[in-house]
Amino acid sequence: LSVGKATRFQPFLEEIPAKLPFYGLPWSLPALYLQTVWVYCCLTLPMLYHRIMAALFGLETLVTMNAPLAQSTSVRDFWGRRWNLIVHNLMKRCFFVPFQHGGPVKKNIAGFVSFLMSGVFHEYMWLMLHLARPQGSRYSPGKVLVFFVIQYLATALQVILVKTTWLGRHG
């Protein structure tokens, strides 16, 4: 109820967060979280319907989401073990594994390339969706890619903190 009250019970902000100072933070957080839940439901429900149909025919399918919003313990856990595992496995197989051998520098490059390619894929997807309606589009080229680069930086920072602080011994 408090999340709804803070956003006037609207899952979307009336103003574009990018046009607000500091993206409207921290007041925009409840609405952004509700939008995240909405995206999660929009991705998960169709995938779940396909899994149910396959199960009726005795087919086993891959798990697509592993409770990312409820059980993630870190940024790395969210992206690596919980969110969109089908795309995660694709990025890992195509971009991470070929670059990972050869020490920590190569593993960092592999992680960066994986997030970069995911960002490029999402940029392309958003571009194609918004080309069809240029007048009503809120798409800003580059922001999606920057989001994924920031996610890489957050995961890399987490790895550094775990290796160099008490988090590695207790986390």
Side-chain angles (χ1 to χ4, degrees), residues 14 37 48 56 58 63 73 88 113 120 125 133 138 164 167-168:
E14 289 179 15
V37 170
L48 182 61
L56 291 174
V63 174
T73 57
H88 166 76
V113 168
V120 167
M125 179 182 65
R133 50 180 206 149
R138 294 182 180 177
T164 60
L167 289 173

Side-chain angles (χ1 to χ4, degrees), residues 110-130:
F112 178 72
V113 168
S114 297
F115 273 99
L116 183 70
M117 294 311 296
S118 186
V120 167
F121 165 75
H122 283 84
E123 278 288 345
Y124 175 76
M125 179 182 65
W126 280 104
L127 177 66
M128 292 299 112
L129 285 172
H130 289 272

Side-chain angles (χ1 to χ4, degrees), residues 26-49:
W27 299 276
S28 63
L29 283 176
L32 293 174
Y33 185 76
L34 287 173
Q35 288 179 37
T36 304
V37 170
W38 180 77
V39 168
Y40 171 72
C41 290
C42 286
L43 289 174
T44 304
L45 289 176
M47 292 177 193
L48 182 61
Y49 296 146

Side-chain angles (χ1 to χ4, degrees), residues 9-10 29 50 57 59-60 87 108 114 119 122 126 149 162:
F9 298 96
Q10 296 176 359
L29 283 176
H50 287 96
F57 292 102
L59 301 172
E60 193 171 323
V87 172
N108 279 320
S114 297
H122 283 84
W126 280 104
V149 170
V162 165

